[in-house]
């Protein structure tokens, strides 16, 4: 009888263990060993979820094993199941009158492992209630397995095993080769198989490599992540907690289960079980499993996406047409006012945000999963408002600037840069600090995260983005999973505007503002440049596909837009002087025109370039004048002339003038 016949429908890894007991004397099971596992229904009971220890025991019991001896560093040695018969069997094979409890030395543990793997005292068939063995027959030995739980904690440091640890693992390696298979009469397997030692570890590298790979009889088996169909089977088991039977499912019940199954992508059966307990505790019942899943992931019940305030702000944005500079404060102005002259970009951004707020992101896909709420890729010239729009989006969605998080990708160009985002792996500097990105999102799950100039990031960082966009989660160096399902991710790039010569590393403009390209032609050029960069240069076409149609193209600022930006910056400067210094400032028309002409003549660098020029020819000389002049509060000053030519810029300022 094969393992598939003995354990039909059981998890694959336990059938592998059961099917190789004739050739493997030790097993290393790695993965989420604290998870729960589904075993199918049989004639006596329905399908159920059990712990890994219980799963192993149930599988071994089918093959005639009498008990499972268990060891860990805290409790010492115990026995499973906790019955008098199993305890007596364990004491007999270990040669002790009572099971040793608490911490025991590795040297003593070696003796107990030897007793199980190489039993010396055969069974007395007549004492077992059977017939005596015929002459020349093989002796019978009890079938017992030894489980070493939390085995990852046995070595203090793999890079520096002490003498006792080294001798212990060397003994276990030798024991794997010298173990003796045992014969038992009757049962499902009336032939010789091993009394196995089973190690439960977190990762396949938690034990010395020379030990795990040093013997053909040591078998390493990974515990795989549950797939969609397996999660569906687990969900159906858990649905019975709410009185739901598969044969009685309504259409709404089926919908709840499917949403639950997709929302728990990447989770194990234990997490799914905890979510059902959370739903019961909160009184949401079966229909509230989706809400309980979100709370389990994020740790908070508040949902800004469902707030009337957010929807009201979005409605206000949609209903308010694009306008010029308004009298509202900076943070209260519409997106169109904060990012002047980029109406097409703001329109598309609002469409994506509204889609996210209404929960329709990815609505056309069969499996919605737990991807981020919204994804935006801002592309276009420098200084035209990409970063400003990202900040405005944060304010619009979550009401404060604390929800805005920015990463400059030029700082993540090194090979190890991904460790900054998710944290260094165990044993490396910075492990305790955690990742800059993952820690920030766990502390505040509802965020707008800006990744500035993505093309400068190292490919290892791009791989992290791929995982976030596909699965909506990242696991940091400490093994903690962070979920991005409530975030809006914004990526920016200058691709299509500036190119870098691979031979000389010199940068040059691909298109310029003075070419006066139409928006459609500019968008087509930029999108093609982005496609070429991701496919040919970066080599990540799959990441390009994850962005979908979420590219938002910014245009060069027009002459009219440049004038509006100039007026806004001058008005901000005058307002700052009046509120901070109490000085009333006006600018004569001729001086204002000279300043405007100088500051807006070069539109290549967008609004940032206008601001830089204004600082040079207006704010700097004005600061000198205010410092030297010693003007009192209430004074009115007029800028009558602006000298913006060669040499140091200067202003001619006279007291008085109309307010």
């Amino acid at each position: 009888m094969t393992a598939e016949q003995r354990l039909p429908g059981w998890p694959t890894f336990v059938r592998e263990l059961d099917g190789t007991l004739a050739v493997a004397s030790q097993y290393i099971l790695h993965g989420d060993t604290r998870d729960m596992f589904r075993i199918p229904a049989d004639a006596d009971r329905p399908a159920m979820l059990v712990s890994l220890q219980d799963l192993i025991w149930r599988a071994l019991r089918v093959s005639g094993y009498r008990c499972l001896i268990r060891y860990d560093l805290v409790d010492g040695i115990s026995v499973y199941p906790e019955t008098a018969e199993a305890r007596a069997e364990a004491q007999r094979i270990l040669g002790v009158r009572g099971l040793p409890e608490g911490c025991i030395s590795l040297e003593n543990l070696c003796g107990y492992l030897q007793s199980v793997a190489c039993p010396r005292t055969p069974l007395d068939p007549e004492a077992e209630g059977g017939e005596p063995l015929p002459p020349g027959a093989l002796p019978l030995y009890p079938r017992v397995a030894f489980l070493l739980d939390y085995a990852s904690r046995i070595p203090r440091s793999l890079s520096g095993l002490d003498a006792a640890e080294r001798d212990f693992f060397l003994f276990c390696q030798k024991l794997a080769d010298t173990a003796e298979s045992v014969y038992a009469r009757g049962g499902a397997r009336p032939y010789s198989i091993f009394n196995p030692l089973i190690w439960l570890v977190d990762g396949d590298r938690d034990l010395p490599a020379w030990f795990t790979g040093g013997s053909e009889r040591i078998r390493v088996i990974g515990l795989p992540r549950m797939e969609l169909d397996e999660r569906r089977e687990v969900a159906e088991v858990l649905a019975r907690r709410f009185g739901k039977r598969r044969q009685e499912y309504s259409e709404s019940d089926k919908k709840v289960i499917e949403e639950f199954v997709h929302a728990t992508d990447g989770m194990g059966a234990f997490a799914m079980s905890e979510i059902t307990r959370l739903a019961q505790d909160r009184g949401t019942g079966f229909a509230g499993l989706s809400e309980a899943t979100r709370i389990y992931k994020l740790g908070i019940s508040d949902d800004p996406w469902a707030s009337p305030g957010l929807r009201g702000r979005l409605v206000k944005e949609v209903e308010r047409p694009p306008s010029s500079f308004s009298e509202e404060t900076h943070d209260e102005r519409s997106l169109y006012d904060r990012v002047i002259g980029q109406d097409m970009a703001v329109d598309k951004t609002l469409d994506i945000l509204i889609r996210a707020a209404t929960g329709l992101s990815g609505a056309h896909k069969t499996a919605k999963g737990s991807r981020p709420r919204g994804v935006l890729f801002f592309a276009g010239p420098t200084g035209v408002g990409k970063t400003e729009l990202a900040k405005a989006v944060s304010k619009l969605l979550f009401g404060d600037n604390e929800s805005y998080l920015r990463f400059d990708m030029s700082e993540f160009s090194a090979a190890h840069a991904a460790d900054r985002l998710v944290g260094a792996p165990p044993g490396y500097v910075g492990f305790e600090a955690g990742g800059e990105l993952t820690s920030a999102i766990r502390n505040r799950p509802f965020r707008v995260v800006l990744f500035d100039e993505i093309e400068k990031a190292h490919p290892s960082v791009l791989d992290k983005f791929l995982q976030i966009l596909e699965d909506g989660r990242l696991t940091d160096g400490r093994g903690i999973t962070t979920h991005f399902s409530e975030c809006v991710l914004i990526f920016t790039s200058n691709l299509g505007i500036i190119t870098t010569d691979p031979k000389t590393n010199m940068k040059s403009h691909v298109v310029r503002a003075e070419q006066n390209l139409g928006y459609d032609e500019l968008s087509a050029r930029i999108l093609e440049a982005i496609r070429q960069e991701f496919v040919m240069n970066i080599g990540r076409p799959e990441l390009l596909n994850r962005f979908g149609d979420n590219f938002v193209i910014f245009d060069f600022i027009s002459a009219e837009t440049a004038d509006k930006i100039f007026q806004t910056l001058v008005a901000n400067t005058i307002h700052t002087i009046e509120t901070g210094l109490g000085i009333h400032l006006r600018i004569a028309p001729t001086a204002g025109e000279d300043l405007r002409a100088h500051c807006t003549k070069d539109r290549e660098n967008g609004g940032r370039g206008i601001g830089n020029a204004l600082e040079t020819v207006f704010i700097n000389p004005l600061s000198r004048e205010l410092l030297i002049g010693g003007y009192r509060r209430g004074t009115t000053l007029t800028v009558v002339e602006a000298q913006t030519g060669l040499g140091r810029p200067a202003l001619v300022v006279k007291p008085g003038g109309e307010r």
Side-chain angles (χ1 to χ4, degrees), residues 310-321:
L310 169 59
R311 302 200 173 208
R313 292 192 295 272
L314 286 171
V315 169
K316 185 178 179 182
E317 285 288 339
V318 173
E319 292 179 345
R320 177 166 46 185

Side-chain angles (χ1 to χ4, degrees), residues 170-229:
L170 181 59
F171 172 85
C172 291
Q173 185 183 63
K174 184 177 180 180
L175 187 61
D177 296 325
T178 58
E180 302 170 4
S181 58
V182 297
Y183 175 76
R185 184 164 55 187
R189 306 173 79 162
Y191 50 83
S192 292
I193 55 178
F194 287 102
N195 279 353
L197 309 184
I198 304 172
W199 306 72
L200 301 187
V201 296
D202 301 328
D204 57 347
R205 299 180 181 180
D206 288 353
L207 301 181
W210 56 264
F211 165 67
T212 58
S215 172
E216 290 294 329
R217 284 189 173 177
I218 299 177
R219 196 173 189 91
V220 181
I221 302 177
L223 308 185
R225 190 180 74 174
M226 287 197 303
E227 299 298 335
L228 182 68
D229 289 340

Side-chain angles (χ1 to χ4, degrees), residues 123-126 130-140 183-186:
L123 295 171
D124 182 349
E126 295 184 67
E131 297 293 328
L133 293 175
L138 293 174
L140 305 180
Y183 175 76
R185 184 164 55 187

Side-chain angles (χ1 to χ4, degrees), residues 126-311:
E126 295 184 67
E128 296 285 323
E131 297 293 328
L133 293 175
L138 293 174
L140 305 180
Y141 291 95
R143 286 182 176 168
V144 176
F146 201 112
L147 182 75
L148 294 105
D149 205 355
Y150 297 98
S152 297
R153 307 296 174 260
I154 293 178
R156 299 176 190 175
S157 172
L158 290 180
S159 60
L161 297 177
D162 61 30
E165 292 169 344
R166 181 203 61 212
D167 293 346
F168 171 72
F169 285 109
L170 181 59
F171 172 85
C172 291
Q173 185 183 63
K174 184 177 180 180
L175 187 61
D177 296 325
T178 58
E180 302 170 4
S181 58
V182 297
Y183 175 76
R185 184 164 55 187
R189 306 173 79 162
Y191 50 83
S192 292
I193 55 178
F194 287 102
N195 279 353
L197 309 184
I198 304 172
W199 306 72
L200 301 187
V201 296
D202 301 328
D204 57 347
R205 299 180 181 180
D206 288 353
L207 301 181
W210 56 264
F211 165 67
T212 58
S215 172
E216 290 294 329
R217 284 189 173 177
I218 299 177
R219 196 173 189 91
V220 181
I221 302 177
L223 308 185
R225 190 180 74 174
M226 287 197 303
E227 299 298 335
L228 182 68
D229 289 340
E230 294 173 302
R231 292 201 308 278
R232 186 176 291 113
E233 292 172 344
V234 169
E236 291 176 350
V237 172
L238 295 172
R240 294 204 304 265
R241 296 181 178 179
F242 302 92
K244 305 291 183 179
R245 308 291 178 187
R246 183 174 185 178
Q247 60 272 20
E248 302 171 358
Y249 286 164
S250 65
E251 288 302 315
S252 62
D253 291 340
K254 294 177 182 178
K255 182 179 179 181
V256 169
I257 286 180
E258 284 305 303
E259 289 178 350
F260 182 42
V261 168
H262 288 294
T264 53
D265 181 29
M267 294 186 182
F270 178 79
M272 295 177 69
S273 175
E274 292 294 281
I275 290 170
T276 60
R277 291 182 57 224
L278 183 61
Q280 291 174 320
D281 178 65
R282 296 180 64 85
T284 60
F286 183 69
L289 281 178
S290 292
E291 179 187 354
T293 303
R294 187 180 64 82
I295 296 172
Y296 184 83
K297 288 179 177 179
L298 305 178
I300 56 177
S301 57
D302 297 337
D303 186 4
W305 289 103
S307 70
L310 169 59
R311 302 200 173 208

Side-chain angles (χ1 to χ4, degrees), residues 397-582:
L397 294 179
F398 305 125
D400 61 67
N401 293 324
E402 294 299 319
S403 298
Y404 170 76
L405 183 64
R406 177 180 177 271
F407 290 93
D408 186 342
M409 290 294 99
S410 64
E411 300 176 4
F412 293 82
S413 58
H416 62 277
D419 291 346
R420 282 186 56 189
L421 294 177
V422 301
Y428 287 81
V429 175
F431 165 67
E432 298 82 1
E436 294 178 22
L437 174 61
T438 52
S439 297
I441 298 302
R442 280 199 303 274
N443 292 335
R444 198 180 181 100
F446 299 91
R447 276 189 182 271
V448 171
V449 187
L450 175 66
F451 300 103
D452 223 351
E453 299 186 279
I454 181 179
E455 70 275 9
K456 296 181 179 179
H458 190 271
S460 64
V461 176
L462 299 179
D463 291 338
K464 300 300 180 184
F465 294 153
L466 182 63
Q467 186 177 345
I468 295 173
L469 295 173
E470 178 64 22
D471 302 325
R473 64 177 183 271
L474 274 181
T475 300
D476 66 15
R478 295 178 292 178
I480 302 173
T481 299
T482 301
H483 297 275
F484 293 78
S485 55
E486 306 302 327
C487 292
V488 171
L489 306 182
I490 301 178
F491 301 83
T492 73
S493 173
N494 292 324
L495 290 171
I497 304 297
I498 299 174
T499 186
T500 303
D501 189 316
K503 295 182 179 179
T504 63
N505 207 33
M506 296 292 291
K507 297 182 182 296
S508 61
H509 285 269
V510 179
V511 293
R512 290 185 172 275
E514 56 265 24
Q515 292 178 259
N516 293 319
L517 297 176
Y519 182 78
D520 290 341
E521 184 179 354
L522 178 66
S523 297
R525 288 197 185 186
I526 291 176
L527 290 174
E528 177 59 22
I530 292 172
R531 191 190 72 81
Q532 288 288 335
E533 180 71 14
F534 277 95
V535 174
M536 305 303 295
N537 298 338
I538 298 177
R540 293 292 190 280
E542 65 278 12
L543 181 57
L544 180 68
N545 292 334
R546 297 303 186 276
F547 290 119
D549 190 39
N550 294 327
F551 291 95
V552 178
I553 307 302
F554 287 66
D555 199 355
F556 284 105
I557 61 172
S558 64
E560 180 184 0
T561 298
D563 288 346
K564 290 179 180 179
I565 293 173
F566 171 78
Q567 293 168 14
T568 300
L569 297 179
V570 170
N572 290 341
T573 304
I574 293 174
H575 178 72
T576 300
I577 293 173
E578 289 185 347
T579 56
L581 303 178

